[in-house]
Amino acid sequence: MDSTSVGEFDIKDISLAGSGKRRIDWAEREMPVLRLIKDRFAKEQPLRGIRLVACAHVTSETANLVRTLQAGGADALVIASNPLSTQDDVAASIVSEWGVPVFAIKGESTETYNRHVRTALDFHPQIIIDDGSDVVATLLKERADQKSEIIGTTEETTTGIVRLQAMELAGVLPFPSIAVNDAQTKHFFDNRYGTGQSTLDGIIRATNILMAGRIVVVVGYGWCGKGVAMRARGLGANIIVTEVNPIKAVEAIMDGFRVLPMTEASSIGDVFITVTGNRHVIDGAHFSQMKDGAIVCNSGHFDLELNLTALRDMSQPAVTLRPFVEEFALLSGGRRIIVLGEGRLINLAAAEGHPASVMDMSFANQALSVEYLVMNKGELKPGVHMLPEAVDTEIAGLKLKALGINIDTLTPEQMEYMSSWETGT
Ligand SMILES: NC(=O)c1ccc[n+]([C@@H]2O[C@H](COP(=O)([O-])OP(=O)(O)OC[C@H]3O[C@@H](n4cnc5c(N)ncnc54)[C@H](O)[C@@H]3O)[C@@H](O)[C@H]2O)c1
C-alpha cells in the first residue's frame, strides 16, 4: 500500500510557519467548544490509529480542527477544498508544528488541485472529511478498490450534500456519510452569519467600495443568501433578491427585500453576489444588460455560478486592476464588468473565510461526526446520515457555557404539560 509519510507535502513556503502558528492560536481563542473536545479527545483517544483525510479550506480554523483530530489519535493528511482558499502560512504551520502533511497552495491550478485530491486517496484514508464532495466523487470514479477501506465520510457544505444525495439516489454511495452542514449548529450560524459577514468582508477588502447606497443583488435566498442580504442591508445597501423557490421568494419579501427575476435585476444592480450552489445563475444575457462598472462575485461553493466563459467570449481580454479584481470590457457598447476572485468563493479568496467563533460550532460537528463514525464502525447503513439531534443540542449548550450565558430549563410541571394531550384551555 502507498502511504504518504510525514515529511512529504506540497505547500508554498515552510518558512511562513511562524506567522501561521500565531494566527492559528489567535483563532483558537474563539473556539472554546472545539477546545473542550480537543481536551477530551487527548484523554480518550477515540481516533487512535485512524487514517483520515481532511479536504477543507486550509484556514486557521481548519488548523484547529486538525489539531483536535490529531489529539484524538488520528493520522491525518490535509488538502485544500478550493484552489484559492488556502492560507499559505497556516499550511506551513500545520506541517511544521503538527507534522501533518498538507497539499495546498493558494492559487494552485485546477490540475494541481486534482493531483492533490489523488494524493489524498493514495494515503488510503478510512475517514474522509470532505467539503464539496470532490474527494468522495474521485474515489467512486477512480478508486473502486478503496471503497471497502472507508469507515465513513463527513460533508461540510450544502453543495457537497446535494452531490451525496445524488450518489445515494443513483445507488453508488457505498458508505455512511454524515451531513455536517445539515446540523442546526452548522448552517444556522456558519452559512448565515459566517457567510453573511465574510462575503461582505471579501468584497470590501478586494475593492474598498462603500456599500451604503449601492444596489446589491443577492442571487439565492437560502441560508447564505439570508446572511449576505442581512449584512449588506446593515451597511446601508438597497437589496434585490432573485430566487427560483416561491417559498424563499416570499420569505425575502416579508424580510423587507425587493424580489425580481434576474433578467430585470441585471440592469439595475451595482453589486451582484451569487449564493445558490447552482450553475450559470448569472449568464451571458445578464452580463450584457449590466451597468458600466457593475461588480459581480460568487460566494457559493463552486466557481460555476457565474458563466465566465460567456463573459470572456463577449469581452476584451480581462485586465487585473487590483488583487482579486478583474475588469472585462464588453466588445459591444464599451461597458465594463468587474469580476472578483475569479468567480470563486469571495469570502475565502479575498478575505479569511468565516470568523473562528462560528467555525467553532461547525468544526465541533466535524470532530464529533468523525468520532460517531468510528464508534459506530460497521453499524451505519450506506447513505447520507444526520448527526443525532442530541449532539447538535450538546454543541449549542457547550457554546452557551463557553459564552457564560445561562438559560432556563423546563420545570417538572412544564415538562408534564408539554408531553400530555389532555390539557387544553
Ligand atoms: N462562502 C462560504 O463560505 C459558504 C458557506 C456555506 C455554504 N456555501 C455554499 O453556498 C451555496 C448556498 O448554500 P446555502 O446553504 O445557502 O444553500 P440553500 O440551499 O439554503 O440556498 C440556495 C438557494 O439558491 C436558490 N437558487 C437555486 N438556483 C437559483 C437560481 N437560478 N436563481 C436564484 N436562486 C437560485 C435556491 O432556491 C435556494 O433557496 C452552496 O454552494 C454552499 O455549498 C458557501
Side-chain angles (χ1 to χ4, degrees):
M1 183 181 77
D2 289 346
S3 87
T4 306
S5 61
V6 173
E8 288 176 35
F9 48 85
D10 190 14
I11 59 171
K12 184 164 183 215
D13 182 356
I14 194 77
S15 74
L16 299 172
S19 108
K21 175 70 168 49
R22 285 187 290 280
R23 294 203 309 110
I24 294 165
D25 289 343
W26 173 252
E28 197 194 34
R29 294 183 190 199
E30 292 272 312
M31 304 183 89
V33 178
L34 199 61
R35 260 194 336 256
L36 283 174
I37 295 171
K38 186 181 75 178
D39 293 346
R40 177 172 68 76
F41 274 16
K43 279 189 218 114
E44 297 176 4
Q45 296 284 291
L47 312 180
R48 174 169 288 285
I50 296 289
R51 279 191 315 283
L52 176 151
V53 159
C55 172
H57 301 296
V58 183
T59 62
S60 51
E61 294 78 22
T62 296
N64 281 302
L65 172 63
V66 173
R67 214 175 185 179
T68 304
L69 298 166
Q70 193 185 47
D75 185 8
L77 178 146
V78 176
I79 60 168
S81 59
N82 185 289
L84 263 192
S85 63
T86 298
Q87 296 169 3
D88 290 314
D89 57 348
V90 167
S93 186
I94 296 174
V95 172
S96 80
E97 285 288 325
W98 291 285
V100 172
V102 178
F103 295 81
I105 303 169
K106 184 163 182 124
E108 65 193 17
S109 65
T110 307
E111 291 70 43
T112 305
Y113 171 81
N114 288 328
R115 179 160 49 78
H116 287 161
V117 170
R118 294 192 179 99
T119 304
L121 291 173
D122 291 343
F123 186 64
H124 286 260
Q126 297 164 287
I127 296 276
I128 296 169
I129 294 180
D130 218 346
D131 185 351
S133 275
D134 275 348
V135 183
V136 170
T138 308
L139 181 130
L140 295 189
K141 283 189 261 183
E142 300 178 10
R143 304 285 179 98
D145 55 316
Q146 284 183 231
K147 286 188 224 170
S148 59
E149 297 171 7
I150 303 291
I151 296 171
T153 76
T154 68
E155 174 51 56
E156 173 75 5
T157 199
T158 318
T159 284
I161 290 168
V162 170
R163 286 179 93 185
L164 286 172
Q165 284 162 342
M167 291 172 197
E168 188 174 14
L169 203 64
V172 298
L173 187 63
F175 34 68
S177 295
I178 309 273
V180 168
N181 180 77
D182 291 355
Q184 297 184 65
T185 45
K186 200 283 185 179
H187 65 270
F188 277 14
F189 306 98
D190 170 317
N191 300 32
R192 182 167 39 174
Y193 302 112
T195 313
Q197 176 170 318
S198 61
T199 298
L200 272 301
D201 184 19
I203 295 169
I204 292 166
R205 287 199 209 191
T207 61
N208 199 27
I209 59 166
L210 183 75
M211 296 305 293
R214 302 236 176 201
I215 300 173
V216 171
V217 179
V218 178
V219 186
Y221 201 66
W223 289 101
C224 295
K226 282 192 238 291
V228 169
M230 183 199 321
R231 292 300 178 241
R233 173 157 66 185
L235 288 169
N238 296 302
I239 313 297
I240 294 173
V241 167
T242 71
E243 250 299 343
V244 291
N245 178 328
I247 298 171
K248 303 289 172 104
V250 173
E251 196 180 3
I253 292 167
M254 302 259 169
D255 284 345
F257 300 122
R258 194 174 170 198
V259 175
L260 289 176
M262 195 58 188
T263 42
E264 288 177 41
S266 51
S267 58
I268 302 173
D270 298 315
V271 179
F272 294 80
I273 307 168
T274 57
V275 263
T276 67
N278 204 351
R279 187 183 179 80
H280 295 173
V281 295
I282 298 186
D283 217 332
H286 305 128
F287 284 121
S288 69
Q289 290 177 359
M290 286 183 186
K291 296 196 278 200
D292 184 36
I295 294 173
V296 184
C297 66
N298 168 50
S299 211
H301 187 77
F302 285 121
D303 62 339
L304 42 64
E305 303 215 7
L306 314 176
N307 188 348
L308 293 182
T309 308
L311 181 61
R312 279 190 203 101
D313 287 348
M314 56 203 266
S315 311
Q316 312 272 8
V319 178
T320 301
L321 305 181
R322 298 160 51 105
F324 311 112
V325 181
E326 279 182 303
E327 182 177 86
F328 292 79
L330 299 188
L331 294 171
S332 108
R335 276 167 295 121
R336 293 156 303 176
I337 310 291
I338 313 293
V339 174
L340 306 184
E342 301 169 20
R344 298 192 188 278
L345 306 130
I346 190 60
N347 61 332
L348 283 138
E352 295 174 58
H354 297 353
S357 176
V358 279
M359 293 317 292
D360 188 28
M361 286 189 286
S362 304
F363 285 164
N365 274 289
Q366 283 288 4
L368 296 181
S369 295
V370 170
E371 181 184 39
Y372 180 73
L373 284 170
V374 172
M375 294 300 168
N376 291 284
K377 182 179 172 184
E379 302 293 320
L380 301 171
K381 288 202 181 87
V384 181
H385 294 253
M386 294 282 290
L387 249 193
E389 203 181 326
V391 179
D392 222 353
T393 310
E394 182 194 333
I395 291 171
L398 289 173
K399 190 72 176 174
L400 285 174
K401 193 172 161 207
L403 294 169
I405 293 169
N406 295 317
I407 60 169
D408 292 322
T409 46
L410 292 171
T411 63
E413 183 195 13
Q414 289 165 345
M415 261 193 279
E416 193 192 330
Y417 176 74
M418 296 301 281
S419 59
S420 72
W421 57 269
E422 288 95 343
T423 318
T425 45

